[in-house]
Amino acid sequence: MAQDPAAAISQGSLRDIFTHEDPSQWSFPTPVLQCVQVKPMAQQSGAPDRYRVVLSDIQNFVQCMLAVQANNLVHEGKLKRGVFVRLKNFQSNTLKDKRILIILDLDVLTELGVAEKIGEPATLITKVEESGKPHSTVISSEGFYGNKAKEETKIKSQPQSLPTRASNPPHLSSGGHANIFPIEAISPYANKWTIKARCTQKSNIKTWHKQTGDGKLFNVNLLDDSGEIRATGFNEQCDALYELFQEGSVYYISSPCKVNMANKRYSNINNDYELMFDRDTLVEKAEDQESAPRVRFNFTSIADLQTVDKDTTIDVIGVCKEIHDLSQITSTSTKKPYDKRELVLVDQSGYSVRLTVWGSTAVSFDAPVDSVLAFKGVKVSDFGGRSLSLLSSGSMTVEPEIDESYKLKGWYEAQGRSDTFASHASMAGAIGSAGGRVDAFKTIGQVRDENLGMSENPDYFAIKATIIYIKQDNISYPACLSADCNKKVIEVEQGQWRCERCNINHPKPEHRYILAANVTDHTGGIWISCFDEVGKLLMGMSADELVLHKDNGDKAADEAFQEANCKTWIFKCRAKMDNYQDQQRVRYQVTSASPLNFSVEAAKLAETLKLYNMD
């Protein structure tokens, strides 16, 4: 026999939550309520979806804000009008004289089905409100649940924090922190709050010297179950708090503390706000160091990097396919040396990407090849198509204990280790470039017949062709190690390679490919030029490695060239008239290459066969 939904609802539970500060006095620790409305909230551009929810216990209704991590219940159609829910983790609060609940976790009770609104729930008015003038509990005065009062008198009072209720009773520290505020609810309108959060990253102290005076600051990233926020301490607060904060430790942070709009130029945190420590801000290390989450990722797959704008900050996870030697560059502006190390990551999407780590992370890097690495806070660059750089505010985790890591490791051991990976090399010439250009597929015969590259402007096209020969002389050039330079360097003496552009010497160069390959299809053949990213893809190793094999006379060099022959690729090319030894010729430069996707190719063949249907 089906359960009566009305009998399952925890009647009177909402009044309990807002009346009694001690959760032990609540009749229903995890109340069952009916959802009578779900509406999206206005959001800033690029911010995650936010939803307002109205919950009823038959006697009363209350406005709620749904935490971002529970958005999937709305997106999947599970949380909707008429369903019944059990609250597992929530924060009750009074904000601008309005009673609201911030829902961090809940279950949709599908066994109770969906029903029209049960009873006639009324606006929740507690004893405190009954002693004053009544006011509306509607969060938004237009188009939301409940009747709008004709005349509303504001009660001049400060927003106050009410009890946190999770599956377990709230933690009471030696400081008596019973009312913990979720990070996600922090805004300039919330006062008298305490958060309990883990410090996931602490920056070095940064100093500045100006005519107006000297100063210093440091930043920490703070994380709890509801979200993440960045906090900054200047000058005196920097001196007082820097040594107290340790990465990985959990802290109570209590207002007063300034809440400002986040400056996205300096922060990779997904939060519209950030904190600035005040001289009266209270920071205490928590006795319970396990209750806050360790780190929160929002991964972008390597294949999807082509859809990510330059200078965007993202999280990425991948298997470390290559680890380059530690190198050093000198800044042209500050003349300071910087240590760097380049890694190559791959994932299930079939793509690879180069990622650079800097400073102490580069020097102390000791993870082996084939390790799973998770990066939080990497900057997307369009250098070489798409590349990544770990910001000073970012972090790296080796073999993280998360589901994405386990899935990636399983895939790599099963098939990924032997896969060939595409890159985002020179995306400026790829399909869907910033200018909206689409590179049409051509046969080599069509490329010649249509005289592509003969006009004043370059022509772009894509071909499916097979490599039949790669020239083995002049396969690379020695390049500068400075970021975004890549100019040719000259060996001025043993162990000293000079870059005239950067005006610095390097102990060794980085060899970069300049391959010339002959490719063919069923209509003809052409010579194509391939630079470093494409060369790595075709040869299966870096130019440094291939040059070393050639210099040592290793068979591995000949085997690499033989292995590269007779393979078919999708080449995206740029055709442009060029002058060579006082003669004009068309030069075909490869902007990117990718292996065949056999399911896509089969679909194309099926469509072609339909054209020959004589019925």
Side-chain angles (χ1 to χ4, degrees):
M1 182 176 179
Q3 185 178 358
D4 179 13
I9 292 180
S10 307
Q11 295 193 39
S13 57
L14 293 177
R15 181 173 294 277
D16 272 356
I17 291 170
F18 287 98
T19 301
H20 302 297
E21 293 190 8
D22 184 359
S24 65
Q25 298 182 40
W26 297 349
S27 302
F28 304 96
T30 54
V32 173
L33 305 169
Q34 184 182 24
C35 175
V36 294
Q37 191 177 77
V38 179
K39 287 191 70 173
M41 298 172 65
Q43 65 183 76
Q44 296 183 1
S45 176
D49 295 338
R50 298 298 303 269
Y51 294 94
R52 291 191 180 106
V53 179
V54 178
L55 299 179
S56 164
D57 67 359
I58 298 181
Q59 296 179 12
N60 300 105
F61 69 83
V62 70
Q63 318 286 352
C64 307
M65 290 172 58
L66 190 67
V68 172
Q69 64 263 29
N71 280 354
N72 64 297
L73 295 176
V74 178
H75 297 161
E76 295 169 5
K78 295 178 181 178
L79 182 57
K80 57 186 178 181
R81 182 176 179 177
V83 301
F84 298 87
V85 300
R86 182 185 301 279
L87 303 188
K88 297 169 60 181
N89 193 349
F90 57 90
Q91 165 78 34
S92 57
N93 192 51
T94 298
L95 186 61
K96 288 189 173 181
D97 299 328
K98 298 179 177 72
R99 299 291 188 250
I100 67 169
L101 282 181
I102 299 165
I103 309 300
L104 304 176
D105 191 14
L106 77 165
D107 288 333
V108 177
L109 306 179
T110 55
E111 65 272 18
L112 296 180
V114 180
E116 290 297 320
K117 182 180 66 174
I118 298 176
E120 293 295 332
T123 299
L124 178 64
I125 300 177
T126 62
K127 290 182 179 180
V128 174
E129 294 167 0
E130 289 168 353
S131 63
K133 295 182 180 180
H135 60 276
S136 170
T137 60
V138 182
I139 296 175
S140 173
S141 60
E142 297 180 2
F144 202 43
Y145 192 84
N147 296 323
K148 179 181 177 182
K150 293 182 180 179
E151 294 184 0
E152 182 173 319
T153 302
K154 293 184 178 180
I155 301 174
K156 295 182 179 179
S157 62
Q158 294 294 333
Q160 55 183 330
S161 176
L162 287 170
T164 297
R165 176 62 197 174
S167 299
N168 297 316
H171 172 72
L172 291 173
S173 74
S174 58
H177 300 293
N179 303 328
I180 305 302
F181 209 81
I183 284 176
E184 189 176 54
I186 288 179
S187 75
Y189 312 107
N191 296 325
K192 297 182 181 178
W193 48 259
T194 296
I195 61 173
K196 182 181 181 182
R198 187 179 302 278
C199 174
T200 58
Q201 193 273 335
K202 182 177 79 168
S203 72
N204 294 324
I205 293 178
K206 302 172 185 177
T207 60
W208 67 88
H209 306 280
K210 298 181 180 179
Q211 292 181 348
T212 55
D214 299 339
K216 54 186 171 181
L217 65 85
F218 81 105
N219 308 112
V220 289
N221 294 346
L222 303 171
L223 173 71
D224 71 5
D225 287 319
S226 72
E228 200 167 6
I229 197 167
R230 186 174 189 246
T232 303
F234 290 90
N235 299 323
E236 292 83 0
Q237 285 67 51
C238 180
D239 293 335
L241 298 176
Y242 185 78
E243 294 300 332
L244 176 60
F245 277 107
Q246 299 297 326
E247 288 187 6
S249 296
V250 179
Y251 297 87
Y252 291 105
I253 298 100
S254 301
S255 59
C257 187
K258 293 182 180 178
V259 182
N260 301 322
M261 294 299 297
N263 189 336
K264 296 301 182 181
R265 292 173 54 196
Y266 305 110
S267 174
N268 59 296
I269 297 297
N270 184 22
N271 197 318
D272 293 332
Y273 302 109
E274 59 187 16
L275 303 177
M276 188 171 76
F277 294 128
D278 187 270
R279 66 177 183 178
D280 294 322
T281 302
L282 181 62
V283 179
E284 302 171 85
K285 191 169 184 178
E287 294 177 5
D288 175 14
Q289 290 288 311
E290 300 300 324
S291 57
R294 292 283 173 182
V295 69
R296 186 187 301 276
F297 293 103
N298 184 20
F299 292 122
T300 298
S301 74
I302 296 176
D304 288 341
L305 290 177
Q306 59 189 335
T307 66
V308 178
D309 292 335
K310 176 180 178 291
D311 295 332
T312 301
T313 301
I314 64 165
D315 303 338
V316 69
I317 187 171
V319 176
C320 185
K321 193 74 171 176
E322 297 178 21
I323 302 173
H324 290 230
D325 292 337
L326 181 70
S327 59
Q328 194 175 81
I329 64 170
T330 302
S331 170
T332 55
S333 57
T334 65
K335 305 303 180 183
K336 291 182 179 180
Y338 293 93
D339 295 309
K340 64 174 247 186
R341 188 187 299 272
E342 292 187 340
L343 314 172
V344 175
L345 301 183
V346 300
D347 67 7
Q348 303 100 314
S349 67
Y351 275 76
S352 66
V353 69
R354 177 174 293 198
L355 188 150
T356 304
V357 295
W358 301 88
S360 59
T361 303
V363 173
S364 62
F365 185 89
D366 60 357
V369 172
D370 299 339
S371 298
V372 175
L373 304 179
F375 293 88
K376 184 170 186 63
V378 294
K379 186 177 182 180
V380 178
S381 167
D382 59 2
F383 178 69
R386 280 293 183 269
S387 58
L388 303 174
S389 179
L390 181 63
L391 299 172
S392 59
S393 60
S395 62
M396 178 186 73
T397 307
V398 180
E399 301 288 356
E401 297 182 357
I402 55 177
D403 290 343
E404 293 88 347
S405 176
Y406 302 141
K407 291 176 183 177
L408 194 59
K409 195 72 172 179
W411 159 80
Y412 189 73
E413 295 297 337
Q415 68 178 81
R417 189 185 297 273
S418 59
D419 280 357
T420 301
F421 297 92
S423 73
H424 296 289
S426 301
M427 280 180 53
I431 289 177
S433 66
R437 183 185 67 250
V438 175
D439 300 342
F441 265 95
K442 304 285 185 180
T443 64
I444 292 177
Q446 289 174 322
V447 171
R448 293 189 179 280
D449 293 342
E450 296 175 16
N451 294 321
L452 297 184
M454 296 287 192
S455 59
E456 182 178 349
N457 296 320
D459 293 310
Y460 296 89
F461 60 90
I463 56 174
K464 180 173 68 174
T466 302
I467 298 173
I468 58 174
Y469 180 71
I470 299 177
K471 286 186 178 180
Q472 297 189 28
D473 55 338
N474 297 325
I475 63 170
S476 67
Y477 72 96
C480 177
L481 293 174
S482 299
D484 300 335
C485 179
N486 296 332
K487 292 295 183 181
K488 185 176 181 179
V489 294
I490 301 172
E491 189 174 23
V492 293
E493 58 182 270
Q494 187 173 2
Q496 292 293 318
W497 296 78
R498 180 163 184 79
C499 175
E500 294 297 336
R501 177 186 177 185
C502 299
N503 195 29
I504 57 175
N505 292 346
H506 297 286
K508 65 176 182 177
E510 176 190 31
H511 286 275
R512 298 180 65 85
Y513 280 116
I514 45 172
L515 296 178
N518 190 246
V519 298
T520 185
D521 66 8
H522 63 287
T523 64
I526 56 173
W527 283 92
I528 58 175
S529 300
C530 307
F531 292 117
D532 196 54
E533 294 296 332
V534 176
K536 290 178 183 177
L537 197 60
L538 304 186
M539 301 305 299
M541 64 179 69
S542 68
D544 279 330
E545 293 173 295
L546 186 56
V547 168
L548 182 62
H549 288 314
K550 285 174 64 68
D551 291 346
N552 293 338
D554 296 342
K555 291 182 179 180
D558 293 332
E559 292 173 352
F561 283 102
Q562 292 176 15
E563 183 68 21
N565 285 332
C566 301
K567 286 189 175 180
T568 302
W569 298 83
I570 302 296
F571 295 103
K572 297 188 188 299
C573 304
R574 175 182 182 270
K576 177 68 176 174
M577 188 67 73
D578 189 21
N579 287 314
Y580 181 70
Q581 295 181 349
D582 296 327
Q583 291 185 351
Q584 284 194 326
R585 64 174 186 176
V586 177
R587 184 182 184 188
Y588 302 106
Q589 177 184 326
V590 177
T591 58
S592 70
S594 57
L596 293 184
N597 184 323
F598 291 103
S599 62
V600 172
E601 296 300 317
K604 289 181 181 178
L605 287 174
E607 292 299 319
T608 303
L609 290 173
K610 290 179 182 178
L611 300 176
Y612 295 92
N613 191 342
M614 301 303 292
D615 294 338

Short mmCIF file of all heavy atoms in Angstrom, two decimals, residues 32 50 155 193 336 341 350 516:
data_model
loop_
_atom_site.label_atom_id
_atom_site.label_comp_id
_atom_site.label_asym_id
_atom_site.label_seq_id
_atom_site.Cartn_x
_atom_site.Cartn_y
_atom_site.Cartn_z
N VAL A 32 11.10 16.12 6.41
CA VAL A 32 10.54 15.82 5.09
C VAL A 32 9.57 16.95 4.74
O VAL A 32 8.67 17.28 5.52
CB VAL A 32 9.80 14.47 5.08
CG1 VAL A 32 9.09 14.25 3.75
CG2 VAL A 32 10.79 13.34 5.36
N ARG A 50 21.81 29.27 -10.42
CA ARG A 50 21.35 29.28 -9.04
C ARG A 50 19.82 29.20 -9.05
O ARG A 50 19.16 29.74 -9.93
CB ARG A 50 21.78 30.55 -8.31
CG ARG A 50 23.29 30.72 -8.21
CD ARG A 50 23.94 29.61 -7.42
NE ARG A 50 23.42 29.49 -6.09
CZ ARG A 50 23.92 30.13 -5.04
NH1 ARG A 50 24.95 30.94 -5.19
NH2 ARG A 50 23.40 29.97 -3.83
N ILE A 155 12.27 46.45 9.38
CA ILE A 155 12.71 46.45 10.77
C ILE A 155 14.21 46.63 10.77
O ILE A 155 14.93 45.85 10.17
CB ILE A 155 12.30 45.14 11.47
CG1 ILE A 155 10.78 44.98 11.41
CG2 ILE A 155 12.81 45.11 12.88
CD1 ILE A 155 10.33 43.64 11.96
N TRP A 193 29.23 36.33 10.92
CA TRP A 193 29.30 34.95 10.46
C TRP A 193 30.63 34.31 10.89
O TRP A 193 31.61 34.98 11.16
CB TRP A 193 29.13 34.86 8.95
CG TRP A 193 29.97 35.81 8.14
CD1 TRP A 193 29.57 36.98 7.57
CD2 TRP A 193 31.37 35.68 7.82
NE1 TRP A 193 30.61 37.60 6.93
CE2 TRP A 193 31.73 36.81 7.05
CE3 TRP A 193 32.34 34.73 8.11
CZ2 TRP A 193 33.01 37.00 6.56
CZ3 TRP A 193 33.62 34.91 7.62
CH2 TRP A 193 33.95 36.04 6.85
N LYS A 336 65.28 38.67 -13.93
CA LYS A 336 65.35 37.62 -12.93
C LYS A 336 65.23 36.25 -13.60
O LYS A 336 64.47 36.10 -14.56
CB LYS A 336 64.23 37.78 -11.90
CG LYS A 336 64.37 39.00 -11.00
CD LYS A 336 63.23 39.05 -9.99
CE LYS A 336 63.35 40.24 -9.05
NZ LYS A 336 62.23 40.29 -8.07
N ARG A 341 59.57 23.72 -16.01
CA ARG A 341 59.61 22.34 -16.50
C ARG A 341 58.34 22.10 -17.31
O ARG A 341 57.24 22.48 -16.87
CB ARG A 341 59.69 21.34 -15.34
CG ARG A 341 59.94 19.90 -15.81
CD ARG A 341 59.84 18.93 -14.65
NE ARG A 341 60.80 19.17 -13.60
CZ ARG A 341 62.03 18.66 -13.58
NH1 ARG A 341 62.43 17.86 -14.57
NH2 ARG A 341 62.84 18.93 -12.58
N GLY A 350 41.51 11.72 -26.29
CA GLY A 350 42.36 11.47 -27.45
C GLY A 350 43.29 12.63 -27.79
O GLY A 350 43.90 12.64 -28.86
N ALA A 516 59.79 18.22 -43.46
CA ALA A 516 59.21 18.26 -44.80
C ALA A 516 58.77 16.84 -45.14
O ALA A 516 59.58 15.90 -45.11
CB ALA A 516 60.22 18.77 -45.82
#
